[in-house]
Amino acid sequence: MTTYILVGGAMRTSSPEIQAKLATAIQKSASMPFKVANVFFGESREQWQDKFKSRQDMFRVLFGENAQMRLTTPETFLEDAVWADVIYIHGGYATRIAQYLDKIPNLEKLFAGKVVIGDSAGAVYLAKYAWEAWTDERVARGRGLVPVAVIPHFGSKVYDNNETTIDWESAERELAVSTDLPIYAIREGEFEIFEEKS
């Protein structure tokens, strides 16, 4: 069974209770101790190490020593994906994620039997369609590994410490015009789980 978890964003800054809910979802699909490959391709490369450290801290609080963590790079991604039980594709820009992961054929086979988490831009990349709030405010196509449409950060009023003026209901209507797939409007700190037989 392959488990995809699409996160609406801001999981690292969510409450301990919300983080614990994600931890429970991971534990249902991956036996502990488990191995986590962290993918930060959506961010500029100079940020990866600092982002990884903050995620290590989050996982350490949630799982203690029961999670081994790796920071994956384009050079080690294939090896790390085979090694991992959990592949966590963090946020940033979905187009940057695509620049790296679109080069890999049969990505769904590589992910088979694993827990694959897409957070914010990671969710945009994994879904078939999405409405991108923070980058272009437009409908975008993802890799389509999860055959749904998503709107991460749904309802958020602040981005990068600035107030937003996004009309979220209008965004949902715009996405509905582009696809007849189910639309998941996912708020920050919330997530949706999709399972498929490997």
Side-chain angles (χ1 to χ4, degrees), residues 41-144:
F41 298 166
E43 305 278 2
S44 58
R45 193 162 187 155
E46 57 269 17
Q47 295 179 295
W48 293 358
Q49 192 63 50
D50 287 341
K51 300 268 184 183
F52 177 59
K53 184 178 183 314
S54 72
R55 296 329 186 269
Q56 277 183 304
D57 293 342
M58 181 181 87
F59 272 83
R60 197 171 291 119
V61 168
L62 293 174
F63 300 111
E65 299 303 314
N66 286 312
Q68 300 175 45
M69 306 276 286
R70 276 190 189 175
L71 169 61
T72 192
T73 66
E75 296 77 23
T76 65
F77 177 78
L78 289 175
E79 175 190 337
D80 293 340
V82 170
W83 166 84
D85 304 301
V86 178
I87 300 169
Y88 201 126
I89 304 172
H90 297 275
Y93 293 86
T95 51
R96 288 182 179 174
I97 297 170
Q99 285 174 357
Y100 294 105
L101 295 188
D102 279 359
K103 295 174 184 172
I104 299 170
N106 301 317
L107 194 58
E108 62 277 8
K109 289 186 180 175
L110 187 62
F111 288 167
K114 301 180 185 294
V115 177
V116 182
I117 303 169
D119 194 331
S120 185
V124 170
Y125 180 76
L126 291 173
K128 179 88 173 178
Y129 288 95
W131 197 84
E132 289 190 292
W134 306 142
T135 51
D136 300 313
E137 295 191 23
R138 65 178 178 89
V139 174
R141 285 188 70 115
R143 182 74 178 247

Side-chain angles (χ1 to χ4, degrees), residues 127-129 144 146-150 175-176 178-184:
K128 179 88 173 178
Y129 288 95
V146 184
V148 299
V150 297
L175 187 54
S178 302
T179 179
D180 57 0
L181 289 171
I183 295 173
Y184 290 85

